[in-house]
Amino acid sequence: MSSISQAARSGSIITGRNLLHIWREPGALISHLCTSIMFVVLFAFVIGGGLGALYPEYLIPGMLGQNAVFVNIYTTVGIAYDMEKGIVDRFRSLPISRAAVIIGRTSSDLAATAMNIALLSLCGLAIGWRIRSDFLSAVAAYGLLLLFAFAISWVGAYIGLRCKRLESAQSLGIMWVFPFTFISSALVGSQYMIQPFKALAEWSPLTALCDTIRDLFGNPAPKDFPEATGWAAQHSALYLVLWCVALLAVFVPLTTRRYRTLSG
């Protein structure tokens, strides 16, 4: 059996183990879903109430993009929890591929994120959001969401492996996510921000993700939102894919190497 097929087979088994753990203890998943729904209601009807009737259609793709980023917290905390409980050491003693444990974690967290995205989409439909494009465009939008979530989860895996305690993993997992999600076009156009946050938002991969899936879903921005300019805005899909490839190219080998060098 080749190393790739062995890693895939072992990774699928560990994915099943992690999904079973989520099924038996769904508290974190439910908490995250409730938080996402709370954010939708808060921004759609409280903070964004004066931004016009089209704002919910602008908001929901941004919230879906945020959910794709929040997978980082799942992965960081999940890896750190397994390390603290000694589960990672048990996996390392087994004759399986070194990459299988990380593949299993990122794959199971991607499945959990897919469930969150599906339920958040239903919540969006309940408040008036609609997909106004064709079927294939909508499939492409959801595919890009999952691709970005998978790439981000490898960042979370690396952070989790670098943490020695679960408490520090929880802090580090959240510390960079909230600035990253708010300094983007997820909730409001980057044109409304002041420098240097405007420049950071314009070149944020989350901005590229949100702008791309808005185009694919056929969700226009409210009429009074200034139109985004610049290379990243004009080539958001290409820019997003380049970011995903770069994240995977950097963090897959880094994470695998870190896992191999862990002390017993």
Side-chain angles (χ1 to χ4, degrees):
M1 184 181 295
S2 68
S3 58
I4 296 178
S5 59
Q6 183 183 15
R9 182 176 180 276
S10 301
S12 65
I13 295 173
I14 297 174
T15 299
R17 171 257 177 192
N18 294 337
L19 290 175
L20 184 62
H21 183 74
I22 294 174
W23 176 259
R24 290 176 175 174
E25 298 183 20
L29 186 65
I30 294 173
S31 175
H32 177 64
L33 177 61
C34 291
T35 302
S36 298
I37 293 174
M38 180 186 69
F39 270 112
V40 169
V41 173
L42 178 65
F43 281 96
F45 300 112
V46 180
I47 298 176
L51 296 178
L54 283 178
Y55 183 65
E57 295 206 2
Y58 182 89
L59 173 67
I60 295 302
M63 295 299 300
L64 292 174
Q66 279 192 338
N67 265 262
V69 176
F70 287 157
V71 69
N72 164 79
I73 302 174
Y74 280 146
T75 308
T76 301
V77 174
I79 288 283
Y81 177 85
D82 286 347
M83 288 179 60
E84 190 170 89
K85 298 298 181 181
I87 298 172
V88 169
D89 287 337
R90 296 176 191 175
F91 284 143
R92 292 178 69 245
S93 67
L94 298 176
I96 60 176
S97 169
R98 296 298 189 189
V101 176
I102 312 301
I103 292 173
R105 170 55 59 184
T106 54
S107 298
S108 61
D109 290 343
L110 183 64
T113 299
M115 288 187 283
N116 273 338
I117 287 174
L119 292 173
L120 185 59
S121 298
L122 294 176
C123 179
L125 292 172
I127 68 168
W129 172 68
R130 295 293 182 269
I131 297 175
R132 304 191 183 279
S133 60
D134 58 85
F135 176 77
L136 291 179
S137 296
V139 170
Y142 283 112
L144 288 173
L145 279 167
L146 295 178
L147 173 62
F148 188 70
F150 185 67
I152 285 289
S153 69
W154 281 90
V155 180
Y158 181 74
I159 295 173
L161 289 174
R162 299 292 305 185
C163 295
K164 296 183 179 179
R165 296 183 60 84
L166 181 59
E167 292 81 3
S168 61
Q170 291 172 330
S171 299
L172 288 174
I174 296 173
M175 187 181 299
W176 69 272
V177 165
F178 279 95
F180 181 74
T181 54
F182 281 97
I183 305 176
S184 70
S185 69
L187 304 176
V188 68
S190 59
Q191 298 81 5
Y192 287 107
M193 301 178 187
I194 63 172
Q195 295 291 359
F197 301 110
K198 180 177 181 291
L200 291 174
E202 288 175 345
W203 290 94
S204 168
L206 181 56
T207 293
L209 173 64
C210 295
D211 290 349
T212 300
I213 63 175
R214 284 185 185 112
D215 289 339
L216 290 171
F217 284 140
N219 297 146
K223 293 181 180 179
D224 56 344
F225 273 37
E227 184 177 354
T229 58
W231 188 91
Q234 295 171 359
H235 305 85
S236 58
L238 174 61
Y239 185 60
L240 171 64
V241 172
L242 290 176
W243 258 104
C244 292
V245 171
L247 287 174
L248 290 171
V250 171
F251 283 97
V252 169
L254 273 180
T255 305
T256 305
R257 187 179 302 114
R258 174 62 184 172
Y259 180 78
R260 287 174 177 169
T261 56
L262 285 174
S263 57

